[in-house]
Amino acid sequence: DAKKMDSYDAGVAVLNLIKKDIKPRDILTRKAFENAIVTCIALGGSTNLVLHLLAIAHSADVELSIDDFAKIGERVPLLCDVKPFGRVTMSELIKIGGIRPLMKMLLDRGMLHGDCLTVSGLTMAETLADVKPYPEGQDIVRDFDNPIKAQSHLRILKGNLAPTGAVGKITGKEGLYFKGTAKVYEGEEDALQGILRGDVEKGNVVVIRNEGPVGGPGMREMLSPTSAVAGRGLIMDVALITDGRFSGGSHGFDVGHITPEAALGGPIGVVKDGDEIEIDAKRNTIQLLISDEELESRLENFQPSGSPVKRGILAKYAKTVTSASYGAVTDKDL
């Protein structure tokens, strides 16, 4: 019944937008994107936040880059103890008031732009004016002086393994630093079979490549491999990196959207089994621990695969799609 009412209310909201002649670009301003980033970080949102907001901003002609996520994330704490990394489900958060009391907390703290237009036709501040706080004694949403993590769990990482950026979902529960030996797989299916076989051991960095926008083509979510890692009891003992992306249901020491991707000659394509990889979520770096000379030599001799699809709509997609660091859009230069 609640879902039916949600659907009905969505229809009412659309009619209201039509009556008031409010267009998407009236709402999709730079300030609105900043509000979305702040709210989703405090809530504990997934790495897909970065990919999708970059793409939506591009469509709306709003300047937004992965570096903006890093900058905003330095001042926004992780407050909500929700799954997959936390204790409770979103439905339990809904029962104590949902997301709007969190947004009111952020607004009162000066972290949201209250003058942004919303789909109601009112400003953000106006829509939140009468929102009641969470009930006393609830322990799902933390106070600002007791955050789960003082800064964003979404880390924009760069280094010789991801020269143009990668996105890590690192809450701190898995630690903020990982150094281990690479276990390389040429795609999601190979990785899943290897993990289930028992190939992956404590201290490994699972590398899944050829799953980027071109190499996929598209960016599949690596939910199955991360779930398999968890199922084998290794969630706290291994890291997993990929030029693909993650489901919001993934948790662990995960880094996705590694760019440039393997299919286009990115450094992730030359990682070998046994190489040491270092991920530092404090310095926001991801490094392949080999000499510059060795890395340069490997890249010079590397023959990237490109897209595995040569005909049809997916081949057209692969030829036009940009890097995940630009939102994997297909019309950037048109």
Side-chain angles (χ1 to χ4, degrees), residues 223-275:
L223 180 59
S224 295
T226 57
S227 298
V229 167
R232 294 191 67 85
L234 293 169
I235 200 74
M236 302 297 288
D237 300 314
V238 306
L240 193 151
I241 69 173
T242 179
D243 52 10
R245 64 190 180 111
F246 294 108
S247 160
S250 294
H251 67 113
F253 209 100
D254 300 331
V255 179
H257 309 190
I258 289 180
T259 62
E261 60 177 291
L264 294 180
I268 189 174
V270 300
V271 177
K272 298 179 180 179
D273 281 340
D275 283 345

Side-chain angles (χ1 to χ4, degrees), residues 28-38 41 47-73 75 113 156 322-329 332:
L28 295 174
T29 63
R30 167 71 188 208
K31 286 184 177 180
F33 281 96
E34 291 181 1
N35 282 351
I37 293 168
V38 168
I41 288 173
T47 51
N48 287 308
L49 168 73
V50 180
L51 185 71
H52 295 324
L53 286 189
L54 287 173
I56 296 168
H58 169 73
S59 293
D61 287 327
V62 172
E63 289 291 327
L64 191 70
S65 75
I66 60 170
D67 295 325
D68 290 319
F69 289 83
K71 184 177 180 180
I72 293 171
R75 61 180 177 85
H113 301 289
I156 305 301
T322 61
S323 162
S325 288
Y326 294 115
V329 297
K332 186 170 177 61

Side-chain angles (χ1 to χ4, degrees), residues 101-324:
L102 171 66
M103 295 176 70
K104 184 69 160 56
M105 290 169 58
L106 294 167
L107 179 68
D108 292 345
R109 192 81 171 189
M111 291 185 172
L112 293 184
H113 301 289
D115 58 341
C116 285
L117 179 67
T118 70
V119 291
S120 67
L122 303 175
T123 67
M124 179 69 72
E126 289 169 338
T127 67
L128 296 175
D130 297 326
V131 172
K132 296 179 181 179
Y134 291 115
E136 288 287 334
Q138 65 83 24
D139 60 356
I140 298 174
V141 182
R142 303 273 192 94
D143 293 326
F144 286 101
D145 58 359
N146 182 35
I148 295 170
K149 192 171 184 287
Q151 297 175 336
S152 175
H153 60 297
L154 297 177
R155 311 307 294 176
I156 305 301
L157 308 173
K158 294 185 179 180
N160 69 356
L161 194 48
T164 53
V167 184
K169 182 180 180 181
I170 302 170
T171 67
K173 292 188 176 184
E174 311 84 5
L176 298 173
Y177 177 88
F178 195 99
K179 183 165 75 172
T181 55
K183 184 69 72 172
V184 182
Y185 297 99
E186 303 297 338
E188 180 187 17
E189 289 84 3
D190 287 345
L192 179 59
Q193 292 304 312
I195 295 165
L196 294 176
R197 262 197 319 266
D199 294 354
V200 175
E201 301 174 346
K202 180 177 180 179
N204 282 157
V205 178
V206 179
V207 180
I208 306 177
R209 59 195 182 200
N210 299 309
E211 292 290 2
V214 173
M219 296 180 72
R220 290 188 295 176
E221 298 176 332
M222 300 296 111
L223 180 59
S224 295
T226 57
S227 298
V229 167
R232 294 191 67 85
L234 293 169
I235 200 74
M236 302 297 288
D237 300 314
V238 306
L240 193 151
I241 69 173
T242 179
D243 52 10
R245 64 190 180 111
F246 294 108
S247 160
S250 294
H251 67 113
F253 209 100
D254 300 331
V255 179
H257 309 190
I258 289 180
T259 62
E261 60 177 291
L264 294 180
I268 189 174
V270 300
V271 177
K272 298 179 180 179
D273 281 340
D275 283 345
E276 271 200 319
I277 293 173
E278 179 189 63
I279 306 165
D280 190 327
K282 287 186 176 180
R283 295 189 296 132
N284 298 324
T285 57
I286 179 165
Q287 293 287 128
L288 178 61
L289 299 180
I290 60 176
S291 69
D292 292 344
E293 294 76 16
E294 171 66 14
L295 178 57
E296 185 177 345
S297 174
R298 290 189 192 181
L299 289 171
E300 285 179 355
N301 293 294
F302 179 40
Q303 297 294 323
S305 61
S307 172
V309 180
K310 306 303 179 185
R311 300 184 66 180
I313 192 66
L314 287 178
K316 293 178 182 178
Y317 166 86
K319 285 185 177 181
T320 58
V321 71
T322 61
S323 162

